[in-house]
Amino acid sequence: MRRGPALVLSALALAACGADAAPTGDLQQGGSTLRATLQDPDGDGALQPAPGAPARDRTDLAPAARPGATLATLGQLTDLHVRDEESPARVPFLDRFGGSVRSTFRPQEALSAQVLAAAVRSLNRERPQAVVVTGDLVDNAQRNELALALAVLDGGRVDPDSGGPGYRGVQEAANPDPLYYRPDQDAPRHPGLLAEAERPFRSPGLAAPWYPAVGNHDVLRQGELPPSARTDEVATQTRLVTSLDPGYDLPDDTDASAALDALLDLGVPGEAIEVPADPGRRALTNAELVGTLGRGRALRAPDRLDYVFDLGARVRGIVLDTVDRTGGARGVVLPAQVAWLRDQFRAAGGRDVVVVSHNRLESADGGAPALELLARSPHVIANVAGNTHRSRVRPVRTAAGGYWVIETSSLADFPQQGRMLRLRETAGGGRVIETWMVDQDGAGPAGVARELAYLDAQGGRPQGLAGTPADRNRRLYLPPRP
């Protein structure tokens, strides 16, 4: 069994920030990291403005060549984890066990909608033709979470509060449990942050058409457990558990689904507070989720979000639903999806193809036949994915030439970045994907959220989720077509 605080702040960080200071809460630095970004040059936990990082060549698949006409521009946001942090269905108390149930609490979790709005504003400034949102739009498969995420992405008035007015949850100042960061009491102090987190605000919405993929957190409780009448009963009640009974233990090798099932069997024993009930905390059914996100799209089947979209006349996106509805985060590709994917490659004709999914295909059960199709197609240029919360770019060499697997860090954890991709022709008949990271703009509470995400031991700077320089601002060359 592992026990430890979710938020670890170094002495240097506290000294730099001061008890009530907000070094990045007031620091607005957003947009293309080609121009500027944020860094911690002293290693003291305080982010500061820094020069941007120029794009460099990656010639793993083809030599560098002079770029020509732009064929398409595409933005990516992933793993938004918009959450109802006041919901009784959440299990932040499991965070102290680590292992498979780590990161069930984040110090910035009350600000997920504000972070998404900040990312939307920054991505809009890059003027993509379209945006893919590669799964985990929400954190706990709740109806009100999806409504909140859509309000930010589509634009208009956004009300992040749930239950009754104001914040009620584990981060209240009166909670004595040292597991939780309390912004009114703990360093770095941000008095009034929780009240600000629940206030309505306006989002501009994405200026470009956006295309969603489904993530495990969109249809599974905590991204692991299929919803049931039992989980809905917990979610819509007034009892929010803040800590488990001291006698409860969790073996190190327990997977997340088994841990959640065991807790439900025991009635979730522990200390609790009363919160206002909210019927919007009921879980989305698969039909509700696919019906909402798939509205107006020609889906392969009514129960999965598989569809195509075009970026002009030269590029086609194929969105593949990789979520295993029986539970777990690993992902799955079904035989019927492989057959459909084969048909879509044929239908794409001479277009370049980007396959979009939450899980990268190589990590999904049943993904091997799909990967064989990608390997045989000379028109596939990338598999754009999320899920890992880490930026990573990797070449896949194939007999047909090859393609790039492009994963992007989440908005839930530092660095809270999106990604841009621009496809261009190159001299000699090849192509190049120019990609760069996009910082959320840090306005208002979104800046505080980034500060806290950076200091969070489980999702912040110790984890290196921003990836290496080779995973960020790069020109990814592709060979000429056969």
Side-chain angles (χ1 to χ4, degrees), residues 82-85 112-113 116 138 143-153 158-161 201:
V82 171
R83 72 192 64 206
D84 175 4
E85 74 283 354
S112 58
L116 176 56
V138 305
R143 296 174 69 194
N144 63 340
E145 290 178 335
L146 182 61
L148 181 56
L150 294 179
V152 179
L153 292 168
V158 180
D159 186 354
D161 206 359
F201 64 91

Side-chain angles (χ1 to χ4, degrees), residues 338-351:
V338 175
W340 176 80
L341 189 61
R342 182 183 297 109
D343 292 342
Q344 295 310 313
F345 283 168
R346 293 194 190 106
R351 297 179 182 91

Side-chain angles (χ1 to χ4, degrees), residues 190-322:
H190 293 284
L193 181 65
L194 295 176
E196 187 174 7
E198 306 307 324
R199 291 193 190 107
F201 64 91
R202 295 196 69 81
S203 168
L206 285 168
W210 63 276
Y211 300 95
V214 174
N216 51 303
H217 281 262
D218 298 322
V219 290
L220 302 171
R221 287 292 192 184
Q222 299 296 321
E224 294 286 344
L225 197 66
S228 65
R230 188 166 61 163
T231 60
D232 276 349
E233 182 181 0
V234 171
T236 55
Q237 67 181 2
T238 61
R239 178 175 176 265
L240 186 152
V241 176
T242 60
S243 62
L244 292 177
D245 282 347
Y248 182 83
D249 198 0
L250 185 67
D252 287 349
D253 59 353
T254 304
D255 68 41
S257 294
L260 294 171
D261 260 333
L263 278 176
L264 290 170
D265 289 340
L266 293 171
V268 196
E271 294 186 16
I273 59 174
E274 289 292 311
V275 298
D278 190 332
R281 292 170 176 152
R282 181 179 68 77
L284 292 152
T285 66
N286 185 60
E288 288 172 332
L289 178 76
V290 175
T292 299
L293 297 182
R295 188 172 297 123
R297 312 187 196 282
L299 302 183
R300 176 191 64 83
D303 61 342
R304 298 188 79 86
L305 198 68
D306 301 321
Y307 63 97
V308 302
F309 65 92
D310 286 330
L311 291 172
R314 302 285 298 276
V315 181
R316 171 158 291 182
I318 301 178
V319 179
L320 206 59
D321 185 333
T322 56

